[in-house]
Amino acid sequence: MSNDKKIVLSGIRATGNLHLGNYYGALSKFVRMQDDFDCRFFIADLHALTTHPDPKALHENVKHILAEYLAAGLDPEKNILYVQSDVPEISEMYLLMNMHAGIGELMRTASFKDKARKALGISAGPAAGEEEIEKEIIGNQSGKSVNAGLLTYPTLMAVDILIHKADFVPVGKDQEQHLELTRRFGRRFNSFYGTEYFHDPVNFNFGGQPVKVPGLDGSGKMGKSEGNCIYLIDDEKTLRKKVMRAVTDAGPTEPGSTPTEPIANLFTLMELVSEPSTVDFFKKAYADCSIRYGDMKKQLAEDILKVTLPIRERVLEIREDDDYLSRVVRRGAEQARDIAADTLRDVREIMGIRKF
Ligand code: TYM
């Protein structure tokens, strides 16, 4: 890892198995970047705490994601791989950075509004804006609460990134707002203390647009809380069944018509996993109304399995090797702590915290 390489930092929350959204939005990019950049990838277990996981499940989730990182091809010799909570410097800098994060801007973050609405039992819709959430939180009429960790989630994410002074942050489209806040906090810190300490990190997509992997239920993105996921760990039978059950429509009736959302989503998935000639074949069949969705789904399942099955096999093997997993993260934590301690020392100094 030479010094002139650009720094890459990204992580995935430890909330369960990884799905195709995580894979195409993040993990597959990590793997492709590892030879050309100075990469640091971590497992965000502190972020996972914002949604109160079962304490018994949390460690298993961390272990599983680590196994998935390795099984997908991340090489611990080429990357720093670590668990977020193993680097306490992150938690301290999170406290410091919260002094420059505004409650209003945090409340306006889409992911907060979404989670707060769910916690407060407010249904989504145009009326369910910040005001209603704020009224509920402060008025506490319903007796339901939203934990402060959810509100300051973007501060912690900003610190993950800024503590490495990362240049590139490979993430899916849904994380772009958090990345924007990261830049804002970094710039605010710079201007408040009259320094040029932080620079702007940006998403990285090999020159393309950030990815949004759709679910199989006809609308929206693939996500754990949406319950519409294909997991890397799904066995063949489960995976085929999920794909064959994907929502479709009655089929095109006029040549050259625009696909409806569920069908457009199937094409988006196909573009990620299949050969271009396969995608073309089904697009032409759609255009001339000869498409059979059953055939398309069979092909899609086949092509997804080509990606996921080899990873699944390696995950099952690696997950059993506790010694190897702990060696990887112990070394990763040491490396990440060295970097984080340098930044934290500077940040404390800039903010005026000095030792006697
Ligand atoms: P998380 O755990 O929700 O998701 C991990 C990564 O997967 C991407 N992703 C998707 N990409 C495309 N289509 C989808 N349907 C889809 N679903 C998930 C996400 O964009 C993300 O890249 N806040 C982060 C974790 C985090 C982090 C960080 C990331 C904490 N600190 C610092 C980067 C840098 C999160 O919750 O991701």
Side-chain angles (χ1 to χ4, degrees):
M1 279 174 261
S2 78
N3 284 337
D4 50 6
K5 284 185 178 172
K6 293 279 189 199
I7 296 171
V8 173
L9 180 281
S10 196
I12 298 183
R13 249 176 324 148
T15 46
N17 300 325
L18 299 189
H19 52 73
L20 285 186
N22 301 133
Y23 185 70
Y24 285 104
L27 185 52
S28 69
K29 297 198 277 184
F30 302 175
V31 176
R32 280 176 70 193
M33 292 177 90
Q34 65 183 337
D35 288 317
D36 300 321
F37 299 97
D38 178 352
C39 294
R40 299 104 193 246
F41 300 117
F42 71 101
I43 296 154
D45 57 343
L46 297 177
H47 275 109
L49 291 175
T50 57
T51 47
H52 301 154
D54 173 354
K56 286 189 216 92
L58 183 62
H59 183 67
E60 281 309 307
N61 284 343
V62 172
K63 197 171 131 184
H64 186 77
I65 294 186
L66 177 63
E68 292 195 302
Y69 275 9
L70 297 162
L74 283 184
D75 180 347
E77 299 299 322
K78 293 181 186 163
N79 308 286
I80 300 178
L81 303 179
Y82 64 97
V83 181
Q84 188 182 32
S85 62
D86 280 343
V87 183
E89 289 77 7
I90 293 170
S91 298
E92 184 176 338
M93 191 163 136
Y94 162 63
L95 182 150
L96 299 177
M97 200 50 92
N98 262 330
M99 308 305 164
H100 292 285
I103 291 177
E105 64 192 337
L106 293 170
M107 282 190 74
R108 285 190 294 275
T109 310
S111 58
F112 174 73
K113 284 197 285 186
D114 198 37
K115 294 227 163 70
R117 257 189 233 121
K118 280 186 190 141
L120 297 167
I122 302 172
S123 56
E130 296 98 58
E131 273 171 40
E132 194 179 347
I133 293 169
E134 193 180 325
K135 214 167 75 198
E136 264 300 327
I137 292 174
I138 296 173
N140 196 20
Q141 295 294 323
S142 63
K144 294 176 180 151
S145 72
V146 179
N147 76 69
L150 267 182
L151 183 67
T152 54
Y153 183 111
T155 321
L156 182 56
M157 177 156 163
V159 168
D160 289 327
I161 297 166
L162 295 172
I163 212 162
H164 283 275
K165 306 203 193 87
D167 299 293
F168 296 130
V169 184
V171 282
K173 195 168 171 47
D174 61 313
Q175 296 296 315
E176 292 240 298
Q177 194 180 24
H178 289 152
L179 207 46
E180 184 53 42
L181 275 173
T182 303
R183 290 188 282 268
R184 208 195 285 174
F185 295 159
R187 285 183 205 156
R188 187 176 296 153
F189 180 94
N190 286 351
S191 96
F192 192 89
Y193 296 106
T195 154
E196 292 293 314
Y197 191 70
F198 293 118
H199 61 264
D200 282 353
V202 292
N203 198 349
F204 187 90
N205 292 289
F206 299 94
Q209 288 302 310
V211 190
K212 178 180 156 191
V213 179
L216 295 169
D217 49 355
S219 68
K221 68 161 190 158
M222 186 176 287
K224 278 165 218 159
S225 45
E226 285 78 6
N228 59 4
C229 296
I230 295 179
Y231 293 104
L232 298 179
I233 198 74
D234 278 344
D235 62 39
E236 202 173 325
K237 202 167 145 214
T238 309
L239 194 144
R240 281 189 205 279
K241 210 191 273 174
K242 284 184 182 177
V243 177
M244 293 315 286
R245 281 192 191 149
V247 173
T248 51
D249 58 17
T253 48
E254 286 197 15
S257 51
T258 311
T260 56
E261 196 181 352
I263 308 306
N265 287 350
L266 290 184
F267 276 117
T268 303
L269 284 170
M270 200 167 227
E271 274 160 8
L272 289 167
V273 295
S274 305
E275 294 292 329
S277 57
T278 308
V279 182
D280 275 356
F281 174 83
F282 286 102
K283 282 204 166 155
K284 282 201 188 100
Y286 188 88
D288 66 19
C289 303
S290 66
I291 192 158
R292 286 159 50 159
Y293 291 144
D295 292 348
M296 182 182 180
K297 288 177 180 179
K298 259 191 216 138
Q299 183 67 47
L300 181 60
E302 212 55 55
D303 292 340
I304 294 174
L305 284 165
K306 275 193 206 131
V307 177
T308 59
L309 275 192
I311 299 179
R312 173 186 150 81
E313 274 164 30
R314 287 194 294 271
V315 170
L316 295 177
E317 211 175 287
I318 295 171
R319 216 171 48 177
E320 295 308 307
D321 196 345
D322 281 340
D323 284 349
Y324 175 56
L325 293 175
S326 77
R327 264 201 319 277
V328 168
V329 286
R330 261 190 278 133
R331 175 152 173 256
E334 266 173 39
Q335 294 169 310
R337 284 198 72 179
D338 280 348
I339 296 162
D342 283 348
T343 308
L344 180 62
R345 192 186 340 95
D346 293 344
V347 167
R348 288 173 61 118
E349 170 86 21
I350 292 168
M351 292 179 81
I353 300 171
R354 310 258 157 85
K355 289 243 182 313
F356 279 95

